[in-house]
Amino acid sequence: MPGPAAESDPAAPVSDAGAPPPVVFVAGATGYTGRALVAEARRRGLVTLAHIRPGSSRAAALRPIFEAAGATVLALPWEPAPVAEALAAHGATHVFSLLGITAAGARKEAARRGGPAPSYDAVDKGLTLLLHTACADLAPPPRFVYLSSLGADRPGASAYLRARHDVEAALAAGGVPWLSVRPAFISGPDRDESRPLERLGAVVSDGLLGLVGLLGARRTAARYATTSGAELARLMLDAGLAETGPGRVVDMAALRGA
């Protein structure tokens, strides 16, 4: 059974038909794109639920920022029942899954917990599918908007891309309406993690793509060009809230209208 509607938000817009606004649940809210998505959703006046894992090292710093923006912070363990109960209780209509672990993050988590480093299979795939299962248990299920990656259709030997390939296959086989977004580089000077090689690669790549765009291949340039967390959040919200079909994959060229 669907849960009750979320509490009204005086800043939230109301549709022409008088229907309540979407209720956006952000998983991975403490990450680079997640923080931007929470901020963008609140800027639009949307009811926003920011999920923070209990024990997150970023919780103390980000909770007051999210709450000051008007988001509801949900500190939920990664277990199916509490996640599904929270989605139902708050009437979530759209779930944005931005979950992922970096190599540096995996090392820090291993040091904090004193165990093996978490893998792409455990975090990027496992937690995403747990969230998807929680959505599937609701009637009607919320739309599942997934942050995938360019190359997920041809993962090869990459564990990172294989995790995303497997998630997309599960989305396509499930009964939850979904949208999968495949960006290339996600980077920007505002990213708080130090990733000099990634940033250098993005700058060089964008320079070459600028030349490609000038030569007329605008769609190719738009598809591969780096996106900042803020741009990606804006475009994912636009696409996720507008989507009405059962499920599809989009790349940055489509999101950018190229």
Side-chain angles (χ1 to χ4, degrees):
M1 295 292 290
E7 294 180 6
S8 61
D9 183 341
V14 177
S15 71
D16 293 338
V23 177
V24 172
F25 179 96
V26 183
T30 61
Y32 176 54
T33 305
R35 297 194 303 272
L37 202 145
V38 170
E40 177 65 17
R42 285 304 304 144
R43 187 189 68 79
R44 301 185 189 195
L46 300 177
V47 177
T48 306
L49 313 171
H51 174 262
I52 293 180
R53 172 180 54 81
S56 169
S57 61
R58 296 178 177 177
L62 292 178
R63 177 186 283 273
I65 294 174
F66 290 158
E67 291 179 340
T72 297
V73 176
L74 301 177
L76 301 172
W78 278 113
E79 299 172 8
V83 172
E85 289 167 4
L87 293 175
H90 290 273
T93 60
H94 294 75
V95 169
F96 286 78
S97 180
L98 315 172
L99 301 166
I101 190 76
T102 63
R107 288 192 296 271
K108 289 180 181 178
E109 188 68 10
R112 184 182 74 85
R113 298 166 62 177
S119 65
Y120 294 126
D121 198 56
V123 177
D124 299 42
K125 175 182 173 180
L127 296 186
T128 300
L129 293 183
L130 182 152
L131 182 60
H132 181 254
T133 297
C135 292
D137 288 339
L138 304 180
R143 182 167 297 278
F144 196 90
V145 184
Y146 174 53
L147 179 56
S148 184
S149 174
L150 203 63
D153 54 333
R154 298 181 301 276
S158 168
Y160 173 81
L161 292 178
R162 171 58 59 182
R164 279 151 179 74
H165 175 86
D166 291 349
V167 168
E168 287 189 353
L171 297 184
V176 176
W178 59 279
L179 178 71
S180 184
V181 176
R182 292 180 181 169
F185 280 115
I186 306 173
S187 187
D190 59 336
R191 190 158 198 165
D192 56 1
E193 292 179 287
S194 178
R195 297 185 177 185
L197 292 180
E198 178 185 277
R199 187 68 190 139
L200 176 61
V203 171
V204 172
S205 174
D206 287 349
L208 295 174
L209 289 170
L211 294 176
V212 169
L214 289 174
L215 294 174
R218 293 183 179 180
R219 181 170 177 80
T220 297
R223 185 179 190 223
Y224 290 97
T226 300
T227 178
S228 68
E231 182 194 24
L232 184 55
R234 176 175 58 81
L235 294 177
M236 285 188 74
L237 267 175
D238 287 344
L241 298 179
E243 185 67 25
T244 58
R248 68 185 180 114
V249 174
V250 294
D251 62 18
M252 292 307 298
L255 291 186
R256 287 166 166 152

